[in-house]
Amino acid sequence: MSAITNHMPTAELQALDAAHHMHPFTANDELAEKGARIITRARGVHLTDSEGNEIMDAMAGLWCVNIGYGRDELADVAARQMRELPYYNTFFMTTHVPAIALAKKIAELAPGDLNHVFFAGSGSEANDTNIRMVRHYWAQKGKPTKSVIISRHNAYHGSSVGSGSLGGMSAMHEQGGLPIPDIHHIDQPHWWAEGGDMDPETFGLQRAQELEKAILELGEDRVAAFIAEPVQGAGGVIVPPASYWPEIQRICDKYEILLIADEVICGFGRTGEWFGCQTMGIRPDIMTIAKGLSSGYAPIGGSVVSDEVAAVIGSGEFNHGYTYSGHPVAAAVALENLRILEEEGVIPHVRDVAGPYLKEKWEALADHPLVGEARIVGMMGSIALVPNKNSRAPFAEAGTAGFVCRERCFANNLVMRHVGDRMIISPPLVITTDEIDVLIARARLALDECYAELQKRNLLTDG
């Protein structure tokens, strides 16, 4: 069967989309007026829209298409699995081969004693699992009062009621009665925006020590776990100072609270190691995985759990699970994705070739008059847009510069996201050095055009 290349005119597709499709994180009425961008095909690091434009996807979808688009191997595996066993559940003392094989492979790749996997359909579901799992863990150990989970402001851990509560984004908490009880947030290690006159290392220590302060204020007998992304992704690709994670690990060890590393974005090669916790040198008790697990080709996520936590949870019935936990097709696709990552040397490519090259080119963007800093770890980077390079003061109209820059990126056939006035990238891990040159050239052009537009609007003023 050939790919579908013919379709209705763009305007008709946009009208149907507006009439029936509710988009996530979108003002749907505004989108209906503008018309959605319609993507019809993709291969490698490029998308093709309904007008035939070829667009470089520097976000790998939603941080997830690690092996790039158009890998027939994953389609073939999915078709074969659908014919053999399209679905069965893993409830009621039953299992199947794809779930077994994938759990074994994840245990081989995960660091330390993270040898057990509880499957979910997404990162949001997996973090909901983690809430129940850590609370049940402490209850099983005779400490039912240990139910508080500490997270960080501006963290993103999903958008369901539970995972959205773990996250620390105020715009999400304003809708739907979030956060749920017993979720506590401390400040993020965002030196550029919040470090003031402190040097980064002093600031990193101070922000890490907020965890210890919170544990003591809440009571050690009430705190169950601390959850954090090794590098904050959706919050703006915030790379913590080098002093931050060692101190967090020390505090978790001292007070015997569980450390959950949310690896939904950082996992499966994005930081130049298999997992972000390896890049940052931490030892989590639980890792949240999704996105790069299947490179986005099929919806799947999970919680990778230490021997100790798994033993306690397994000592009785854990009344939790999802219809699609360990879905055989998704598991088979994920397993093939991991084979490609491993056998084609994608992680060494990030660590030794693409990562260092992108770092050099990305950090050079800091010479642009609109850029205050350029930070990057592996294949996730951010630049801070500033009205004045001599200070870290923000724009008077927060978010406008980022939105203008994003629109200029789109106009130049580059998908680059904005978070406030930070521009962020997360390209497919298979991106080549030649493609990186194109990415940087288009990003620089977008910055030039954004700068000119901000000058025209007289917006290059401090807040």
Side-chain angles (χ1 to χ4, degrees), residues 373-426:
E373 74 158 358
R375 300 296 307 276
I376 191 162
V377 173
M379 289 281 115
M380 53 193 307
S382 65
I383 51 178
L385 306 183
V386 293
N388 182 345
K389 287 177 72 75
N390 296 322
S391 75
R392 302 205 310 272
F395 282 93
E397 296 184 17
T400 300
F403 180 78
V404 171
C405 190
R406 187 196 72 169
E407 293 300 292
R408 298 322 304 160
C409 289
F410 285 153
N412 289 291
N413 289 333
L414 175 66
V415 176
M416 189 157 73
R417 185 170 161 185
H418 84 109
V419 177
D421 291 317
R422 290 184 82 85
M423 303 304 298
I424 60 178
I425 60 164
S426 170

Side-chain angles (χ1 to χ4, degrees), residues 22 57 89 96 99 144-145 159 196 237 269-270 288 304 316 318-319 331 366 394 400 408 421 437 446:
M22 298 177 70
D57 183 9
N89 68 79
H96 49 69
T145 62
S159 62
V237 184
R270 179 124 329 256
T288 316
V304 192
F318 184 38
N319 298 314
T400 300
R408 298 322 304 160
D421 291 317
D437 287 340

Side-chain angles (χ1 to χ4, degrees), residues 2-323:
S2 61
I4 297 171
T5 55
N6 297 317
H7 50 75
M8 288 182 283
T10 298
E12 291 184 35
L13 290 168
Q14 289 173 329
L16 285 171
D17 185 75
H20 305 294
H21 181 196
M22 298 177 70
H23 290 248
F25 285 90
T26 299
N28 282 278
D29 286 350
E30 289 181 18
L31 180 62
E33 287 184 23
K34 182 178 181 181
R37 179 181 297 103
I38 297 168
I39 304 302
T40 57
R41 298 187 302 282
R43 185 158 294 275
V45 301
H46 292 97
L47 311 167
T48 302
D49 70 13
S50 54
E51 295 295 296
N53 296 307
E54 188 176 83
I55 306 159
M56 177 172 280
D57 183 9
M59 284 305 304
L62 273 178
W63 319 80
C64 54
V65 189
N66 288 11
I67 63 169
Y69 296 96
R71 293 299 298 252
D72 291 340
E73 300 95 324
L74 273 67
D76 294 341
V77 161
R80 184 166 64 246
Q81 186 59 49
M82 283 188 175
R83 293 187 180 99
E84 190 170 290
L85 179 68
Y87 172 76
Y88 202 69
N89 68 79
T90 56
F91 290 51
F92 315 125
M93 300 186 179
T94 304
T95 191
H96 49 69
V97 174
I100 296 169
L102 181 60
K104 175 178 179 289
K105 187 61 185 177
I106 292 169
E108 289 174 1
L109 295 172
D113 65 347
L114 297 168
N115 292 315
H116 313 267
V117 187
F118 192 104
F119 286 113
S122 68
S124 292
E125 286 184 1
N127 276 325
D128 277 12
T129 296
N130 294 339
I131 295 171
R132 295 196 64 197
M133 187 176 286
V134 299
R135 290 173 175 174
H136 183 56
Y137 167 84
W138 288 113
Q140 289 287 93
K141 289 176 73 73
K143 299 180 179 181
T145 62
K146 287 176 77 71
S147 63
V148 175
I149 301 174
I150 299 174
S151 181
R152 304 185 295 196
H153 296 299
N154 198 37
Y156 186 86
H157 296 296
S159 62
S160 60
V161 172
S163 64
S165 296
L166 287 178
M169 294 189 167
S170 58
M172 294 177 66
H173 289 181
E174 289 166 4
Q175 299 175 346
L178 276 60
I180 60 174
D182 283 352
I183 306 293
H184 181 84
H185 295 90
I186 60 175
D187 289 328
Q188 61 181 337
H190 191 356
W191 174 80
W192 175 262
E194 301 173 5
D197 295 331
M198 275 185 281
D199 65 84
E201 302 315 303
T202 302
F203 174 76
L205 277 175
Q206 183 203 69
R207 285 293 161 98
Q209 287 162 3
E210 285 194 19
L211 174 60
E212 187 164 32
K213 181 180 177 183
I215 292 168
L216 295 174
E217 286 178 354
L218 293 164
E220 187 180 349
D221 60 333
R222 293 198 60 225
V223 178
F226 174 66
I227 184 170
E229 307 155 84
V231 176
Q232 283 167 259
V237 184
I238 297 161
V239 183
S243 58
Y244 180 78
W245 272 115
E247 183 68 359
I248 289 288
Q249 184 70 64
R250 180 194 71 78
I251 293 164
C252 290
D253 291 346
K254 178 179 178 180
Y255 294 99
E256 296 184 321
I257 67 168
L258 298 177
L259 175 56
I260 306 170
D262 187 331
E263 296 272 2
V264 170
I265 289 173
C266 294
F268 303 101
R270 179 124 329 256
T271 65
E273 301 287 347
W274 274 100
F275 298 98
C277 62
Q278 294 167 309
T279 301
M280 295 300 166
I282 53 176
R283 305 182 309 278
D285 301 285
I286 299 172
M287 290 195 315
T288 316
I289 57 172
K291 294 189 185 294
L293 174 58
S294 70
S295 283
Y297 280 62
I300 188 168
S303 304
V304 192
V305 180
S306 71
D307 290 342
E308 155 70 11
V309 173
V312 172
I313 295 295
S315 64
E317 185 169 345
F318 184 38
N319 298 314
H320 180 76
Y322 308 101
T323 299

Side-chain angles (χ1 to χ4, degrees), residues 404 408 448-459:
V404 171
R408 298 322 304 160
D448 290 343
E449 293 176 355
C450 177
Y451 189 68
E453 178 66 18
L454 296 177
Q455 280 184 314
K456 189 163 65 176
R457 297 194 203 178
N458 198 30
L459 292 176

